[in-house]
Amino acid sequence: MITISRRRFLEGAIATPIALNAQPSLAAGETRPNLTVAVADLPATLEPARELSNVGTRVTYSIFDTLIRRDFLGTADGGGSELKPHLATKWERVSPQELIVTLRQGVKFHNGDELTSEDVAYTFRDGRLWGDKAQIPGGKAYFGVLASVEPIDRYSVRFRTRTPDVLLEQRLASWCAWIVNKRAYETMGFEAYSRKPVATGPYRVVSHNAADATVLEAFDDYFMAKPSAKRVIFKRVPELAARVAGLVAGDYDLITNIPPDQMSIVGGYKDIDVRSVVLANVHVLAFNDQDKLLSDKRIRQALVCSIDRQKLVDTLWQGTALVPASHNFPEYGQMFVEGRKLPYDPAKAKALLKEAGYKGEPIVYRTMANYYTNALEAAQVLVEQWKAVGLNASLQVVENSAQLRGAGSQIFNWSNSTRLPDPLGSIWVAWGPAGEIQVSKFWTSAAAFNKAGNALEAETDPAKRKALFTEMLDIWEDEAPATILYQPSEAYAIKKSIAWRPTTFYFMDLRPDNLSFGRS
């Protein structure tokens, strides 16, 4: 019902065909166009390690750079994992616990400072991303393995880890690894820097208003090449119909979060192209085990077994999403555990409820309407599937994440990205002791999971690592602090005259090698 209503609303909003402008709008006195991107939401700040959500990394990816670059676009599916030099020109393993990185010389920050080893050591210092008093606690999940980061000379840095870490190079190309400017960070202070950061990326910050727009301008001293757009404006437009209408009218050049049932409608305009990719991400339901009812894992298991995920994929995603093999993904390579499958067993769900002595106590599922594509539609289907096995389930739509996880929260939706091509970069980041779920005390029975994960961090033998990961999966599925719904697709609508490719992350790469403007 909701999907039909949405389709009619969208068709009504763009019923009258309007010719798109052949070229995006030009800044005064400039030959390069501006690029205006309409997004469903914007991050609260622009400090990249604070804003690890899909809405945050979409913006900050073009402001900041990493030492090593993961070549997402090196494969056709936008999910390549090969590592390439970026701010660093080379890196060398001195020992299993030591890596020496050599920086590219002459790289400029937005304030004119040259990138040096001091900036790198400051970015990864004890007290910012890791350590007992980390300024950004979320960084511990990525860099808690560090023991020290020290300049060797102006352009060389030594990284040491507490234990052998097979993933350090991947970490330096991934989340939380974006390099900050030491002088600006110290001079401005944490909060001011978070609002208007200074970095090395292709675009620098002009202004940021989370309720309206983030405005970036080209940093013409960018080390890769001169950026393709003069300005990039990320405009907050929560409603899908308004995003589409603005694209059709020529107000926007690119829009995000096109639901699968709208792709053919939006793509029907001659000057619009719809580009989609299956994300290295899963939509999940998190269960609060501090709730009196959900403290019984049999209730959580019943919720898990009641879900027909393939039906969600087929009806809401038009087959463009995938049901993964648990929290377990093919990009792990030899670490991928064959034979796993997410359960759909209504009879078992009913038996678990009976065994737990469930007496019809209410269960409320909270979601925001627009944060995730198909969130509301999926929620309505889930409530019906839970009711079908005897659960007294209902839906509560909230306005923000504070309400989502606030007092009385039982079930809420979330997403987990495969941030490194390894279990340590996905299930451990999201569900380990440094992840926000355990930190927020939503999962308190994780001792065995944490023990196996800590062992995995220190293990280098492939067979032993796989055995530890299998143990973690077994515990996570049995304890059921959450369940996976599906691996979503993400679709963007863009003017056909613009050359740009999406990746399997929400990163929106607007570097000059992935953005160019032509004529229709």
Side-chain angles (χ1 to χ4, degrees):
M1 188 72 71
I2 288 291
T3 303
I4 294 172
S5 299
R6 182 177 62 192
R7 180 181 292 114
R8 288 175 177 167
F9 177 57
L10 182 51
E11 286 173 338
I14 59 173
T16 304
I18 303 171
L20 288 177
N21 298 330
Q23 284 276 71
S25 57
L26 299 182
E30 258 289 343
T31 57
R32 286 177 295 177
N34 292 334
L35 179 76
T36 302
V37 183
V39 298
D41 206 356
L42 288 168
T45 78
L46 298 177
E47 212 294 1
R50 291 177 73 175
E51 304 296 341
L52 298 178
S53 66
N54 56 349
V55 300
T57 55
R58 179 180 288 144
V59 177
T60 59
Y61 195 70
S62 292
I63 302 171
F64 291 84
D65 285 305
T66 51
L67 295 173
I68 302 170
R69 188 181 185 187
R70 179 175 167 181
D71 187 16
F72 289 99
L73 299 176
T75 59
D77 65 357
S81 58
E82 181 182 352
L83 300 181
K84 299 171 65 175
H86 200 51
L87 293 181
T89 56
K90 63 180 181 179
W91 49 94
E92 178 187 1
R93 280 277 181 172
V94 178
S95 74
Q97 292 176 241
E98 185 176 348
L99 181 75
I100 293 179
V101 175
T102 302
L103 302 182
R104 188 180 301 276
Q105 297 184 25
V107 173
K108 297 293 185 182
F109 282 100
H110 300 154
N111 61 0
D113 291 353
E114 184 186 16
L115 169 71
T116 73
S117 57
E118 293 291 337
D119 299 293
V120 175
Y122 186 81
T123 297
F124 296 104
R125 72 187 186 278
D126 181 351
R128 180 172 179 263
L129 299 177
W130 58 282
D132 293 337
K133 298 180 180 179
Q135 195 172 34
I136 305 173
K140 291 183 181 180
Y142 303 91
F143 290 104
V145 69
L146 290 177
S148 65
V149 183
E150 303 166 340
I152 298 172
D153 55 36
R154 185 172 177 83
Y155 301 112
S156 301
V157 188
R158 177 182 289 108
F159 288 82
R160 288 193 176 99
T161 58
R162 294 182 291 101
T163 58
D165 180 29
V166 299
L167 294 175
L168 184 55
E169 293 89 341
Q170 286 283 353
R171 294 182 195 279
L172 295 178
S174 189
W175 303 62
C176 278
W178 296 286
I179 304 301
V180 304
N181 178 255
K182 178 181 179 180
R183 182 169 70 90
Y185 216 100
E186 290 185 332
T187 302
M188 298 170 70
F190 183 57
E191 292 301 333
Y193 185 92
S194 295
R195 292 190 295 272
K196 197 173 183 179
V198 175
T200 63
Y203 296 92
R204 59 186 168 194
V205 180
V206 174
S207 63
H208 172 65
N209 181 343
D212 180 34
T214 300
V215 180
L216 311 178
E217 67 179 2
F219 178 52
D220 287 346
D221 288 330
Y222 186 54
F223 77 93
M224 287 184 68
K226 192 175 182 179
S228 307
K230 178 59 178 175
R231 280 198 167 193
V232 175
I233 301 96
F234 289 93
K235 178 68 175 174
R236 184 177 183 271
V237 185
E239 295 299 327
L240 171 65
R243 294 198 298 276
V244 173
L247 178 64
V248 172
D251 298 329
Y252 312 134
D253 305 302
L254 191 163
I255 65 175
T256 65
N257 303 99
I258 307 299
D261 68 330
Q262 304 301 322
M263 290 171 62
S264 62
I265 298 172
V266 177
Y269 284 80
K270 66 177 183 179
D271 296 320
I272 295 176
D273 193 19
V274 175
R275 300 169 194 172
S276 65
V277 63
V278 175
L279 295 170
N281 175 275
V282 286
H283 286 185
V284 303
L285 304 179
F287 307 133
N288 182 4
D289 76 0
Q290 291 299 286
D291 176 76
K292 182 177 179 180
L293 179 63
L294 297 187
S295 63
D296 188 330
K297 73 177 182 181
R298 293 170 296 186
I299 303 294
R300 304 195 300 269
Q301 291 170 343
L303 288 159
V304 171
C305 291
S306 308
I307 300 171
D308 186 345
R309 295 162 183 81
Q310 194 59 50
K311 182 177 181 179
L312 293 172
V313 166
D314 293 340
T315 58
L316 301 182
W317 293 91
Q318 314 294 302
T320 63
L322 297 174
V323 178
S326 189
H327 219 305
N328 172 45
F329 307 100
E331 52 260 55
Y332 293 172
Q334 62 181 358
M335 289 289 285
F336 178 70
V337 181
E338 300 283 353
R340 310 295 289 214
K341 187 176 181 180
L342 291 168
Y344 173 52
D345 190 341
K348 182 178 179 180
K350 292 177 181 179
L352 285 164
L353 293 175
K354 183 177 180 180
E355 181 183 324
Y358 177 68
K359 295 179 173 60
E361 296 93 335
I363 296 178
V364 179
Y365 172 36
R366 292 180 183 175
T367 183
M368 289 184 281
N370 297 313
Y371 190 87
Y372 295 116
T373 300
N374 275 329
L376 187 57
E377 293 81 359
Q380 293 175 318
V381 175
L382 288 168
V383 167
E384 293 307 312
Q385 292 182 350
W386 288 331
K387 287 180 177 179
V389 299
L391 287 159
N392 180 16
S394 62
L395 175 63
Q396 181 183 9
V397 180
V398 298
E399 295 181 356
N400 54 55
S401 58
Q403 295 173 350
L404 195 73
R405 303 183 184 194
S409 178
Q410 292 179 296
I411 307 173
F412 58 88
N413 55 353
W414 190 34
S415 71
N416 298 167
S417 292
T418 305
R419 296 175 176 181
L420 305 171
D422 186 269
L424 291 178
S426 186
I427 192 170
W428 185 238
V429 167
W431 297 95
E436 59 185 273
I437 295 297
Q438 284 201 49
V439 169
S440 300
K441 308 296 184 185
F442 285 107
W443 184 25
T444 59
S445 55
F449 178 85
N450 291 345
K451 181 179 179 181
N454 286 326
L456 179 62
E457 279 192 311
E459 186 57 67
T460 59
D461 179 78
K464 292 178 180 178
R465 293 189 82 242
K466 188 168 185 175
L468 286 165
F469 172 47
T470 303
E471 181 182 352
M472 291 170 69
L473 272 182
D474 290 342
I475 295 167
W476 192 80
E477 291 174 0
D478 180 65
E479 283 292 331
T483 192
I484 290 171
L485 294 180
Y486 37 64
Q487 196 170 339
S489 62
E490 176 70 7
Y492 305 81
I494 186 171
K495 293 179 180 179
K496 285 184 177 179
S497 59
I498 300 174
W500 173 81
R501 286 178 59 195
T503 72
T504 56
F505 279 7
Y506 283 106
F507 298 164
M508 186 168 280
D509 191 349
L510 303 178
R511 284 166 178 75
D513 60 351
N514 192 45
L515 177 67
S516 62
F517 301 88
R519 295 190 178 276
S520 298

